[in-house]
Amino acid sequence: MTSSATVPEALRAIRASLDLTQAGLAERLGVSFATVNRWEGGDGSTKVQRAKLQSIIALAEEAGVDFADPGDAPIVTTGRRRRTGKAHSNTTKSMEQMLWDAACSIRGEKDAAKFKDYLLPLLFMKRLSDVFDDEISRLAEEYGDREVALEIAESDHSLLRFYLPPEARWAMISERETYEWPSDERGRSTAPKDIGEHLTKAVRAIVRHNPSLAGVIDIVDFAEVRNGERDINPSKLKDVVQAFSDPRYRLGLADVQPDFLGRAYEYLLRKFAEGSGQSAGEFFTPTEVGFLMARILRAKPGETCYDYACGSGGLLIKLQLISRELDPTSKVPLKLFGQELQAESYAVAKMNAIIHDMDVDIRRGDTMINPKFRDTAGGLQRFDVVVANPMWNQTFSPELFDNDPYDRFTKSGGVTSGKGDWAWLQHTLSSMGDGGRAAVVLDTGAVTRGSGSKNEDKERNIRKWFVDRDYIEGVILLPDNLFYNTSAAGIIVVLNKRKPASRKGKIVLLNASRRARKGRPKNYLVEDELQQISDLFRSDHVVEGEVNIVSTEQLQDADYNLSPARWVAQANAAEMRPVKEIFADLLTLDERARQIDQTLAEMLVKL
């Protein structure tokens, strides 16, 4: 077995055959729940460590799942009665393909940038409905009958995460089942004229029964009319509903990976946002980078965690998933807080938190101008853990920094006049509690700009202030081409207000630039390497070619250049050869090729 192309399908087939939850499967394989969740939710490109792959193969044999041919979908054969057939047909197409099918159905109706406004609420409705079906199935197992389970759920909505009235269930929306619409007080039918009206009625019914979803799922009117015409043609909406109704696209409790809505949002942005001059990278952090940050910070049960540019909420969700992995017996969740400026991202973050059954306090607004989380005295609220991927190289008005009511800048290294990267780190520091720690993704230039210049540089001065006060625990250089809005490498700056004794007066500089696997269109990091990078960062050892531990005095001598590439020489870096030498080798090869051609021609003449 040399390929993991069918790992997601195989894992789902194994769980179907052995009746395992993702947590149960994780226990059988000796990995974390988060790992199984990622493996199952991927498109097959994620590589699995060979030892774990062998465990999957062994479990597949036990479950009667044919996992020998990576080119085919796995075949499920259950214990007493061996039955050949494709396992869980919902696994044979990726989420991206589902979204693309749906987007193609609606194209031409809306501007590209508006696709997501209609697709994401529909995707969320489908998720809510599939989860509702899962919970009814759970009750049916308990009470022995699905009809009885539905009756119990109708009488006690608290048994469910979210109660969906019959007209809002996907079976009715997709017309697989028929709903008898009641008459109004005047005896007139309330049945919708078309799918657009049905969806709008369904959304309003969901919000009526679940007030916490107000402003989250009801962000568009599917039946809106402008200038006497429907904003979106009902026939196009029906095509989208049919695309989401494909049985290969199930979105139940165990069917999708963490932050799947964030991934969906990122995919739609990447596909369509460029045409409107926006950038997908403003909103989304690659999944593996988020998990790396979570592994480095290792949030503990009950800690307060804050993301001031939370986008779809994925970084906060990953903090909770890794926290559970590290302490699976704890019943105390993290306390999660996020702020987001963009209305669409805010709604997706709320959806994501709901989907993962996590209590996240998400507020909308511009964090730099109007931070929403404040203490009783009007100052900034402080948190145990801060994590963020703010917009890189953002520019701000100098007046904002000079007149900041929260004193985030002038007393923390000064006011920057150029890029806003260090302004975000100043906000980060101001939001950290006395023992707080943070991880922030920034452009690589943030740790080098101004160093070595004879002129006064405000960014370099802020870096100096942070280094001299020993707030920086480390900097990690990421590989190139991970982020969708740029091919440039990013960095993770790790802050710590209470460094361990072994790290006081030192900074860990980790060069992970050669860790990526090549992919199309973007590179990626695999699970094993995320753990290795985390372990390297947390150890206190220099590793040639990857890790250096530098004293603050050394950094002072280097004019506060914090780039890992400056301090960590890549042991396997390609040797640069003289052009003349390379040209001579090419001439030699050309001559050899000519001789081979001549010899071959002589042999052919003899024949």
Side-chain angles (χ1 to χ4, degrees):
M1 177 73 189
T2 60
S3 170
S4 59
T6 58
V7 165
E9 293 94 333
L11 291 175
R12 292 190 181 101
I14 290 168
R15 288 201 298 105
S17 180
L18 299 181
D19 194 25
L20 293 172
T21 63
Q22 283 190 330
L25 179 59
E27 186 175 351
R28 293 289 301 273
L29 293 175
V31 298
S32 69
F33 163 78
T35 297
V36 167
N37 205 306
R38 284 198 295 284
W39 284 348
E40 283 198 21
D43 58 5
S45 64
T46 300
K47 305 301 179 185
V48 180
Q49 186 181 15
R50 178 157 296 278
K52 298 303 180 186
L53 194 58
Q54 293 304 315
S55 299
I56 294 173
I57 293 171
L59 201 58
E61 291 177 357
E62 177 186 334
V65 174
D66 184 357
F67 190 40
D69 182 1
D72 296 327
I75 299 173
V76 177
T77 53
T78 55
R80 288 176 295 177
R81 179 183 172 190
R82 297 188 66 83
R83 181 169 56 87
T84 300
K86 282 191 176 182
H88 274 249
S89 59
N90 62 303
T91 65
T92 58
K93 280 194 176 183
S94 67
M95 179 200 69
E96 285 82 2
Q97 185 62 51
M98 172 182 69
L99 288 169
W100 183 246
D101 291 346
C104 288
S105 299
I106 204 174
R107 290 184 83 170
E109 288 295 308
K110 300 298 298 177
D111 292 336
K114 293 291 184 183
F115 285 169
K116 63 184 182 303
D117 297 346
Y118 290 87
L119 296 183
L120 287 171
L122 273 174
L123 193 67
F124 191 39
M125 288 176 66
K126 179 64 161 59
R127 164 67 174 190
L128 290 174
S129 187
D130 286 352
V131 169
F132 177 85
D133 288 342
D134 285 347
E135 294 192 316
I136 294 299
S137 297
R138 173 179 54 80
L139 290 174
E141 290 178 4
E142 186 175 345
Y143 294 104
D145 184 85
R146 188 171 180 83
E147 292 302 318
V148 172
L150 279 169
E151 290 179 11
I152 292 172
E154 293 285 355
S155 61
D156 186 0
H157 297 174
S158 67
L159 294 172
L160 308 167
R161 283 176 172 83
F162 295 95
Y163 170 75
L164 265 62
E167 68 269 30
R169 297 168 194 167
W170 202 260
M172 312 299 180
I173 291 172
S174 63
E175 299 182 338
R176 292 199 309 271
E177 297 180 14
T178 303
Y179 176 65
E180 295 297 329
W181 292 87
S183 300
D184 63 14
E185 64 278 0
R186 297 173 61 182
R188 297 172 300 184
S189 174
T190 61
K193 297 183 181 67
D194 51 49
I195 186 64
E197 287 191 5
H198 188 167
L199 287 169
T200 296
K201 284 177 176 284
V203 165
R204 290 171 180 170
I206 291 173
V207 171
R208 189 164 58 250
H209 287 281
N210 307 276
S212 64
L213 295 179
V216 177
I217 196 172
D218 54 346
I219 55 178
V220 294
D221 181 355
F222 294 97
E224 186 173 357
V225 176
R226 297 186 189 187
N227 302 320
E229 293 288 337
R230 279 290 181 86
D231 203 28
I232 183 168
N233 190 291
S235 65
K236 297 286 188 179
L237 269 178
K238 180 169 285 190
D239 289 341
V240 175
V241 168
Q242 292 307 312
F244 283 175
S245 300
D246 189 317
R248 291 170 291 189
Y249 300 143
R250 199 168 190 283
L251 304 176
L253 290 170
D255 296 309
V256 291
Q257 74 179 81
D259 195 25
F260 91 93
L261 265 180
R263 290 180 61 238
Y265 188 40
E266 173 270 335
Y267 176 78
L268 291 173
L269 285 169
R270 175 161 52 93
K271 279 290 187 183
F272 303 122
E274 286 81 359
S276 63
Q278 295 178 332
S279 171
E282 293 176 12
F283 306 98
F284 189 81
T285 306
T287 298
E288 61 268 38
V289 175
F291 275 112
L292 175 59
M293 295 164 77
R295 289 195 177 279
I296 288 169
L297 293 173
R298 298 169 68 92
K300 301 178 181 64
E303 285 192 318
T304 56
C305 304
Y306 170 53
D307 183 347
Y308 49 78
C310 70
S312 66
L315 293 180
L316 292 171
I317 288 167
K318 292 173 180 67
L319 284 176
Q320 179 66 84
L321 289 171
I322 294 302
S323 178
R324 286 176 182 167
E325 175 186 319
L326 295 172
D327 192 352
T329 62
S330 175
K331 304 297 183 184
V332 181
L334 302 178
K335 298 172 184 175
L336 304 174
F337 303 83
Q339 183 165 338
E340 172 56 34
L341 174 60
Q342 301 293 333
E344 297 89 347
S345 301
Y346 167 81
V348 174
K350 297 281 285 187
M351 293 179 200
N352 249 343
I354 290 164
I355 279 174
H356 288 86
D357 201 21
M358 295 179 186
D359 185 12
V360 186
D361 184 352
I362 301 174
R363 303 179 190 180
R364 189 179 166 207
D366 188 323
T367 298
M368 193 62 79
I369 297 173
N370 184 20
K372 296 289 186 177
F373 294 97
R374 297 191 288 270
D375 58 27
T376 54
L380 292 182
Q381 185 174 339
R382 299 178 186 273
F383 303 89
D384 299 313
V385 174
V386 181
V387 61
N389 178 15
M391 187 186 298
W392 299 0
N393 300 325
Q394 191 174 4
T395 56
F396 294 98
S397 169
E399 290 79 12
L400 170 65
F401 301 133
D402 288 327
N403 304 309
D404 179 47
Y406 308 102
D407 232 1
R408 292 171 287 181
F409 311 110
T410 55
K411 293 184 178 180
S412 300
V415 173
T416 179
S417 58
K419 312 295 185 181
D421 296 328
W422 281 92
W424 283 119
L425 286 175
Q426 288 169 315
H427 173 78
T428 301
L429 190 71
S430 298
S431 301
M432 294 164 59
D434 291 339
R437 55 203 188 280
V440 180
V441 182
L442 296 172
D443 173 50
T444 52
V447 292
T448 61
R449 282 191 292 263
S451 293
S453 172
K454 295 180 180 179
N455 300 321
E456 186 76 4
D457 187 272
K458 293 185 177 181
E459 274 193 288
R460 190 258 321 275
N461 290 346
I462 299 173
R463 279 203 305 277
K464 176 181 185 304
W465 188 91
F466 271 74
V467 171
D468 290 348
R469 283 154 185 79
D470 208 17
Y471 285 134
I472 300 177
E473 184 170 0
V475 179
I476 300 172
L477 175 62
L478 297 168
D480 292 340
N481 202 30
L482 290 180
F483 295 85
Y484 279 104
N485 63 330
T486 178
S487 61
I491 54 167
I492 300 174
V493 178
V494 182
L495 305 180
N496 195 334
K497 281 192 174 180
R498 190 176 292 160
K499 283 186 178 183
S502 61
R503 294 198 166 182
K504 289 188 181 299
K506 301 174 184 176
I507 293 180
V508 178
L509 298 167
L510 196 161
N511 189 342
S513 61
R514 297 187 182 277
R515 287 276 181 172
R517 305 294 176 91
K518 293 294 182 182
R520 294 182 179 178
K522 291 293 171 179
N523 297 335
Y524 60 94
L525 293 163
V526 299
E527 169 71 19
D528 289 342
E529 289 181 342
L530 295 181
Q531 187 61 58
Q532 290 170 17
I533 294 170
S534 173
D535 291 344
L536 283 172
F537 183 84
R538 294 177 60 80
S539 72
D540 287 316
H541 303 292
V542 172
V543 177
E544 185 178 356
E546 288 199 286
V547 182
N548 200 353
I549 299 176
V550 182
S551 69
T552 54
E553 290 79 10
Q554 288 175 287
L555 290 168
Q556 290 166 6
D557 293 340
D559 201 19
Y560 300 94
N561 184 328
L562 306 182
S563 172
R566 157 72 172 76
W567 294 97
V568 183
Q570 291 284 336
N572 60 342
E575 181 185 354
M576 300 300 293
R577 300 173 60 204
V579 173
K580 288 184 178 180
E581 184 180 323
I582 295 172
F583 187 67
D585 285 348
L586 288 172
L587 290 176
T588 301
L589 290 172
D590 186 60
E591 176 62 23
R592 288 182 60 191
R594 189 187 64 77
Q595 292 172 357
I596 291 171
D597 288 344
Q598 183 177 347
T599 302
L600 183 60
E602 293 171 354
M603 293 173 62
L604 290 173
V605 168
K606 292 179 180 179
L607 292 174

